[in-house]
Amino acid sequence: MRVLLVYRCSREGRSNVFESLLPVGLCSLAAVLRRRGHDVSLANYSEASPAEVERHLLGIRPEVVGISVFTFNRSASFDLARAVRRLLPATTVVAGGPHASHLHASILEEHPEIDYVVIGEGEETLARLLDRLAAGGDGAELPGLAGRVDGVPFSHGWPEPIEDLDRLPFPFEGFRGYGVDPRTQFMVLVTSRGCPGRCAFCSTPRFWGSRIRFRSVDHVLRELRGLREEYGLLEVSFRDDTFSVDRGRVFEMCRRMSDERLGFLWDCQSRVNAVDEERLVAMRRAGCVHIQYGVESGSPRMLERLAKGIDVAEIERAAADTRRAGIEFSVYLITGIEGEEEEDIAATEALLRRIRPHGAVVSSLAVFPGTALWENWKRRHGLDESAWRAGGRDVVYVRERDAAPRAAVERIGRLVSRQAPRNAYGLADLREQRLRIGDCHALDLAEAALLERMHRPGDARRVLERLASREPWNPWAPLRLGRLHLAAGRVREAVERFRETADAVPRLPEARSLLGDSLAALGQRGAAEDAYRWALSLDAKHAGALEGLRRLASTCVSGKAARPR
């Protein structure tokens, strides 16, 4: 069947890099359906105008449209479903995702434009539905599916979880998409499903389950190799709810990443009670540059109210261990909790001064379907699922009409901003970390970058040359050295370094674009143009290559040639 899987974030979400990307699960669905023989496209309509959306829909004319619905994008999602029904009345419209799963009954009742809702983990359910539709049937008996048959609603509850996640194809397999930058999209990976926490404000325990299911280390490493080979990626973000929870798996993955000489830099998120210094040191040696912790509050009373399952001592220990390992870290914080008082906010501020994070995301407590917080709210306020009808605000805050949480968000945010320069690692920190963890590319690159900011390019070059000597296979060393050579006017050396990087990672557009800059500086216009166009063949929107071609065209028009060096 001809299938289009789509996503559209809210207007406010366009500025949030993770909210504006396609959900990883939608990419996984597309890959599974392609493997089953369906003609599947992805579309990210987040930046598209209504007219552009219409043209794309009418151009493809899909038989089935699947829409990913989160609470924060529900209004945009339902508007999109109505547009599909108006433009393509014979098309089957399927909703999925956390919001749709938790509220499937009311969504089907309120939105006749939606034919089915896939509940929970959708790969198996949607594939079976498409098989039924292709054979002229319907999904009335399928587990994990809700819908209508002859106007009568049905629901068969949550599906059994997929136990062997290695059976799923990589999200980038056979990729075809509209409004999607694959290099940005596929740098986001998920290597497990589920979380051991039971935070009151989070729907993960109900959607994915509290028992974590892991992809094998071998499967993850195969995906990393594929991303490097297919898209030239050297940086990724692991978006597991609790990446570091399985201690043995962390050690194995870090060892394999180092042994296989992939050279990635990466970040992740975790819980403060799922790390220790030994684990963090292994992660740093394998290329980890940043970790995000769900801290939420420095008040024991508020932590208990949020059912975090952690205490302040664990937060402080994790922060100290992370700083000793040399990994930058940021924290998620929540204010606007019922019963929160000045002393609770002050406790959070005091904690921030002690743990010294490199950044923070501060938000007011919001209510989401599928959470313990929502179930409590329903009981206490006499609410039902009609409270989530689209048309109102996409985010519902616990203290909606109270100005105090907004003031607290701004206050804590100002404190974090003031602290950030003092919390950054200095040369003394980096050298102490090196004594503790030894040499590794992540630490070398951090030290070289700091030396550059301190206007000490010679010292930065020596650090990078040491890395190049120790790890001649690592593409980061020639890439960064090439930049330093180019800035210093040593253009021929820069050309050699960028060619070395391009040979190591042929599909890395930065290497081709910077090679173009170097060749242009040598007056080799034709070779420079070839390098820029090669970069654009890898990334059609690469800013450096586009600017390089503009400069070449400008010098051609003005009659001025670049001066060789």
Side-chain angles (χ1 to χ4, degrees):
M1 298 193 76
R2 194 165 56 256
V3 182
L4 178 64
L5 301 180
V6 301
Y7 173 75
R8 187 177 181 89
C9 73
S10 66
R11 184 177 298 277
E12 296 78 12
R14 294 177 185 175
S15 60
N16 182 318
V17 62
F18 290 112
E19 194 173 326
S20 61
L21 289 176
L22 290 174
V24 174
L26 202 65
C27 299
S28 177
L29 280 171
V32 167
L33 298 180
R34 287 191 202 100
R35 186 177 280 186
R36 297 282 284 261
H38 297 286
D39 178 8
V40 186
S41 296
L42 286 160
N44 189 343
Y45 289 148
S46 295
E47 298 290 339
S49 69
E52 289 169 331
V53 171
E54 288 195 11
R55 282 196 295 272
H56 186 251
L57 286 169
L58 292 173
I60 291 182
R61 293 191 171 274
E63 298 167 273
V64 177
V65 170
I67 303 175
S68 188
V69 186
F70 292 77
T71 302
F72 51 76
N73 79 327
R74 67 188 189 281
S75 297
S77 298
F78 297 142
D79 287 345
L80 183 56
R82 283 188 285 271
V84 173
R85 177 61 67 228
R86 174 174 55 82
L87 294 166
L88 303 166
T91 294
T92 300
V93 179
V94 183
H99 188 86
S101 295
H102 295 306
L103 301 179
H104 55 271
S106 62
I107 284 173
L108 288 167
E109 180 181 346
E110 297 166 14
H111 295 280
E113 64 274 10
I114 295 175
D115 298 300
Y116 295 101
V117 173
V118 171
I119 303 171
E121 204 165 32
E123 286 90 353
E124 295 293 339
T125 304
L126 187 55
R128 289 171 182 149
L129 174 62
L130 293 183
D131 291 344
R132 293 279 188 88
L133 295 177
D138 56 48
E141 302 300 323
L142 288 178
L145 192 71
R148 302 182 207 83
V149 174
D150 298 326
V152 179
F154 69 86
S155 171
H156 295 298
W158 293 74
E160 289 296 316
I162 298 172
E163 292 297 335
D164 182 8
L165 296 179
D166 286 8
R167 290 194 297 107
L168 301 177
F170 302 132
F172 60 81
E173 287 185 14
F175 166 75
R176 188 168 75 250
Y178 169 90
V180 183
D181 171 10
R183 297 191 77 249
T184 303
Q185 179 66 48
F186 296 128
M187 73 181 294
V188 178
L189 284 73
V190 175
T191 75
S192 64
R193 293 179 176 182
C195 180
R198 293 185 176 274
C199 303
F201 53 85
C202 181
S203 63
T204 286
R206 185 173 174 196
F207 190 85
W208 294 118
S210 296
R211 181 176 59 83
I212 305 181
R213 292 162 287 143
F214 296 100
R215 292 167 53 194
S216 70
V217 171
D218 184 65
H219 196 252
V220 176
L221 268 291
R222 280 166 44 209
E223 181 171 10
L224 290 174
R225 286 194 296 271
L227 291 172
R228 178 169 158 155
E229 293 166 5
E230 289 288 324
Y231 298 105
L233 287 178
L234 292 174
E235 297 179 84
V236 294
S237 179
F238 295 111
R239 292 289 94 190
D240 304 50
D241 286 286
T242 314
F243 176 81
S244 62
V245 66
D246 186 320
R247 199 167 187 270
R249 182 175 183 263
V250 168
F251 289 135
E252 182 186 357
M253 188 175 297
C254 291
R255 178 185 58 78
R256 290 280 302 280
M257 290 176 75
S258 298
D259 289 350
E260 298 193 20
R261 299 182 170 185
L262 296 177
F264 275 91
L265 297 177
W266 49 278
D267 65 59
C268 64
Q269 56 187 8
S270 193
R271 290 172 59 85
V272 297
N273 57 359
V275 294
D276 53 51
E277 185 174 346
E278 189 178 4
R279 222 176 310 189
L280 291 162
V281 166
M283 291 162 61
R284 183 60 165 163
R285 287 174 176 161
C288 183
V289 296
H290 194 101
I291 187 167
Q292 296 166 306
Y293 293 121
V295 167
E296 321 314 348
S297 178
S299 164
R301 197 166 63 93
M302 293 300 103
L303 290 174
E304 184 177 356
R305 186 155 292 185
L306 295 173
K308 280 297 298 180
I310 60 174
D311 58 37
V312 172
E314 289 174 310
I315 297 170
E316 292 178 328
R317 178 192 54 76
D321 286 346
T322 307
R323 291 189 69 89
R324 279 194 291 271
I327 301 174
E328 291 191 352
F329 74 98
S330 56
V331 295
Y332 293 110
L333 298 170
I334 292 176
T335 186
I337 306 161
E338 281 190 305
E340 184 180 58
E341 299 176 357
E342 168 59 29
E343 64 186 42
D344 301 303
I345 298 170
T348 297
E349 292 177 313
L351 177 68
L352 290 171
R353 293 187 182 96
R354 295 196 302 274
I355 67 174
R356 303 178 63 204
H358 297 86
V361 177
V362 193
S363 57
S364 292
L365 181 59
V367 186
F368 294 99
T371 65
L373 181 62
W374 166 238
E375 296 302 320
N376 183 45
W377 253 48
K378 283 198 298 185
R379 289 192 299 270
R380 290 179 54 198
H381 299 286
L383 299 175
D384 58 27
E385 294 185 356
S386 65
W388 297 104
R389 288 195 177 109
R393 295 181 60 177
D394 280 333
V395 180
V396 177
Y397 295 105
V398 168
R399 291 164 62 180
E400 189 80 35
R401 297 177 178 84
D402 189 344
R406 291 191 295 275
V409 167
E410 294 174 2
R411 172 177 155 184
I412 295 171
R414 285 194 299 270
L415 172 63
V416 172
S417 297
R418 288 196 306 271
Q419 277 192 302
R422 296 193 294 272
N423 293 347
Y425 296 135
L427 283 179
D429 296 308
L430 296 176
R431 285 163 185 165
E432 184 180 338
Q433 292 159 11
R434 192 179 296 278
L435 290 173
R436 183 175 297 109
I437 70 175
D439 292 328
C440 65
H441 72 287
L443 185 52
D444 289 331
L445 295 171
E447 184 175 352
L450 177 56
L451 289 165
E452 283 190 71
R453 292 195 297 272
M454 297 171 67
H455 306 290
R456 295 168 57 179
D459 290 333
R461 187 174 67 252
R462 280 186 283 276
V463 172
L464 293 171
E465 286 172 345
R466 189 170 66 240
L467 170 61
S469 176
R470 190 182 72 247
E471 299 180 4
W473 51 266
N474 195 315
W476 284 107
L479 183 65
R480 294 281 180 88
L481 280 168
R483 286 180 180 274
L484 281 174
H485 291 321
L486 186 58
R490 292 188 292 273
V491 184
R492 295 187 189 281
E493 293 176 71
V495 169
E496 291 179 11
R497 289 301 192 176
F498 292 138
R499 282 180 171 154
E500 183 182 345
T501 310
D503 288 342
V505 191
R507 301 190 67 80
L508 178 65
E510 288 81 3
R512 305 289 177 181
S513 179
L514 289 165
L515 177 60
D517 291 343
S518 305
L519 293 168
L522 289 173
Q524 299 179 22
R525 294 178 55 86
E529 182 175 349
D530 288 344
Y532 289 137
R533 295 201 181 281
W534 196 336
L536 291 173
S537 73
L538 302 172
D539 180 356
K541 295 183 179 180
H542 193 276
L546 291 170
E547 174 60 20
L549 287 176
R550 188 199 65 76
R551 285 196 306 268
L552 286 180
S554 175
T555 57
C556 182
V557 169
S558 66
K560 298 176 181 177
R563 179 182 298 174
R565 298 184 185 183

